[in-house]
């Protein structure tokens, strides 16, 4: 038996992706720019064992049947790279709500890829691991890296790299958890529906390269005010596509909007903070370190906020134990 354990953090996109350019290869329609979060963690152990007759997944202590097809595709890709045939037992734990708009699939598939690759003795610097992670989730390659991460489309796939390390621009992120429930429509299904039915989908795709280029310039310049305005605009543009999908993808709760208004008010008063929201009701407030306490205090008081998860920018997925 050969096994390895990896830790990975979720990431949140400041310039988002929504939509696929190729569903089979899980290739995103547009690039994205994210930050990796150190406050939330996935810990995954992958053990390849010749006595198993199928791949097994235990997620947060229970069999996760719905993840089985994606899991098998990722493990098949790793087995192909390593020219090995053994099935694997995968045990994964998140210390935050799973499948609720907190990017658990990003950290989950980044941890799975790195742990599986280490258990099989693969080179962890091999860029092909990015494609393995992407099979699981379009945003998972971003969690292979730390700090500010750019995922770009290339003619045949994607390329993902860190733009700045966490220490280069140590922003803080306060996550307002507004529901612990899983989302009703997965990102993967929602994107396909948006692509088919939203009249705003094509304008979203067409206007996206300019946002991505500007996002890179603002990150390079450490321009917080510029990034705040752009990231909120890009987030709302994605939600406009979601809302105009048939049937509508309404991921917000009333408390989500209340948090957004509080954050907008703080920024109007000069507090360096902006919001971003993904396919779920949680609100992520990104701020300069000196604003963290003010932002946390304000969000804590919003009725309906269940708890806050606060932290800085994290590192990429890494091995913490291995006998591969
Ligand atoms: O990780 P996926 O492929 O299920 O989709 C992520 C989609 C968003 O979180 C809404 C946007 C993003 O770029 O992370």
């Amino acid at each position: 038996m050969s096994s390895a354990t990896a830790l990975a953090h979720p990431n949140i996109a400041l310039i988002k992706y929504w939509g696929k350019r190729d569903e089979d290869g899980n290739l995103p329609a547009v690039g994205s720019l994210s930050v990796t979060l150190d406050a939330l963690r996935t810990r995954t152990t992958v053990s390849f064992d010749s006595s198993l007759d199928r791949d097994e997944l235990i997620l947060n202590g229970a069999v996760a049947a719905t993840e089985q097809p994606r899991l098998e595709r990722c493990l098949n890709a790793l087995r192909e790279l390593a020219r090995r045939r053994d099935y694997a037992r995968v045990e994964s734990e998140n210390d935050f709500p799973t499948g609720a708009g907190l990017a658990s699939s990003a950290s989950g598939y980044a941890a799975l890829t790195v742990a599986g690759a280490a258990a099989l003795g693969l080179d962890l610097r091999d860029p092909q691991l990015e494609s393995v992670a992407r099979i699981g989730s379009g945003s998972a390659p971003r969690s292979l890296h730390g700090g500010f991460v750019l995922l770009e489309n290339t003619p045949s796939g994607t390329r993902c790299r860190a733009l700045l390390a966490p220490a280069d621009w140590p922003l803080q992120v306060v996550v307002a958890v507004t529901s612990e429930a899983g989302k009703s429509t997965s990102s993967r299904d929602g994107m396909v529906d948006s692509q088919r039915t939203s009249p705003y989908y094509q304008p979203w795709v067409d206007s996206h390269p300019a946002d991505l280029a500007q996002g890179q310039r603002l990150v390079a310049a450490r321009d917080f005010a510029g990034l705040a305005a752009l990231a909120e605009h890009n987030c709302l543009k994605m939600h406009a596509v979601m809302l105009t999908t048939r049937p509508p993808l309404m991921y917000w709760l009333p408390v989500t909007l209340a948090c957004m208004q509080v954050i907008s008010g703080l920024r109007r008063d000069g507090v360096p903070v902006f919001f971003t929201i993904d396919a779920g009701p949680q609100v992520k407030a990104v701020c300069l370190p000196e604003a963290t306490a003010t932002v946390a205090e304000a969000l804590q008081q919003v009725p309906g906020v269940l708890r806050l998860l606060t932290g800085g920018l994290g590192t990429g997925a890494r091995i913490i134990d291995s006998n591969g």
Side-chain angles (χ1 to χ4, degrees):
M1 193 169 92
S2 58
S3 79
T5 301
L7 266 191
H9 302 289
N11 68 77
I12 50 166
L14 307 183
I15 307 297
K16 307 208 179 267
Y17 106 86
W18 190 253
K20 309 280 187 206
R21 96 173 183 267
D22 174 72
E23 264 184 68
D24 286 343
N26 204 20
L27 291 172
V30 294
S32 51
L33 196 165
S34 62
V35 285
T36 304
L37 307 181
D38 74 352
L40 318 180
R41 280 158 187 244
T42 298
R43 182 193 163 100
T44 300
T45 300
V46 180
S47 310
F48 288 90
D49 182 343
S50 57
S51 71
L52 293 173
D53 56 11
R54 64 188 298 248
D55 292 319
E56 294 176 359
L57 171 63
I58 306 294
L59 177 57
N60 299 324
V63 174
T66 53
E67 285 299 318
Q68 189 72 19
R70 284 203 278 181
L71 173 87
E72 287 177 7
R73 288 183 64 202
C74 281
L75 290 170
N76 286 342
L78 287 173
R79 278 186 283 257
E80 205 169 298
L81 285 176
R83 297 175 202 281
R84 285 267 298 271
R85 296 173 56 169
D86 291 350
Y87 289 111
R89 179 178 173 81
V90 177
E91 284 177 80
S92 189
E93 296 275 344
N94 295 322
D95 69 358
F96 58 95
T98 299
L102 287 172
S104 55
S105 61
S107 52
Y109 282 98
L112 171 76
T113 300
V114 169
L120 291 170
L122 294 168
D123 180 353
L124 296 182
R125 291 160 308 180
D126 184 346
Q128 294 186 90
L129 295 185
E130 191 185 314
S131 318
V132 176
R134 203 190 55 230
I135 294 170
S137 152
S139 53
R142 301 189 313 232
S143 279
L144 296 174
H145 304 276
F148 289 79
V149 180
L150 176 70
L151 191 147
E152 290 174 292
N153 273 328
T154 62
S156 59
T158 59
R159 181 177 49 222
C160 195
R161 66 189 162 96
L163 295 176
L164 290 183
D168 292 336
W169 197 16
L171 300 185
Q172 290 272 307
V173 182
V174 181
V175 179
V177 178
T178 60
S179 167
E180 307 275 356
K183 61 183 108 169
S184 47
T185 309
S186 70
S187 308
R188 189 172 284 225
D189 293 345
M191 286 182 200
V192 174
D193 289 349
S194 292
Q195 206 153 346
R196 270 194 308 111
T197 63
S198 170
Y200 297 154
Y201 180 77
Q202 198 53 47
W204 153 257
V205 171
D206 293 344
S207 64
H208 199 278
D211 286 4
L212 195 61
Q214 198 191 347
Q216 288 174 72
R217 283 195 294 274
L218 294 166
V219 167
R222 294 3 171 227
D223 180 343
F224 188 86
L227 189 61
L230 177 69
E232 286 189 356
H233 170 71
N234 184 268
C235 165
L236 292 172
K237 207 158 49 167
M238 178 184 76
H239 282 274
V241 175
M242 292 165 160
L243 288 165
T244 50
T245 296
R246 294 183 179 201
L249 297 165
M250 225 177 280
Y251 287 114
W252 299 353
L253 293 172
V255 56
T256 310
L257 190 58
C259 289
M260 289 155 73
Q261 286 173 328
V262 164
I263 291 166
S264 298
L266 286 172
R267 195 151 87 258
R268 268 197 306 277
D269 292 344
V271 179
V273 60
F274 64 87
F275 63 75
T276 190
I277 301 149
D278 293 291
Q282 332 295 359
V283 178
K284 293 98 178 191
V286 182
C287 62
L288 290 179
E290 60 269 27
T292 311
T294 307
V295 171
E297 208 174 299
L299 288 174
Q300 190 70 71
Q301 283 168 22
V302 178
V305 170
L306 304 177
R307 60 196 172 105
L308 301 180
L309 304 166
T310 302
L313 304 191
T315 52
R318 61 204 176 275
I319 295 299
I320 54 169
D321 192 20
S322 168
N323 71 356

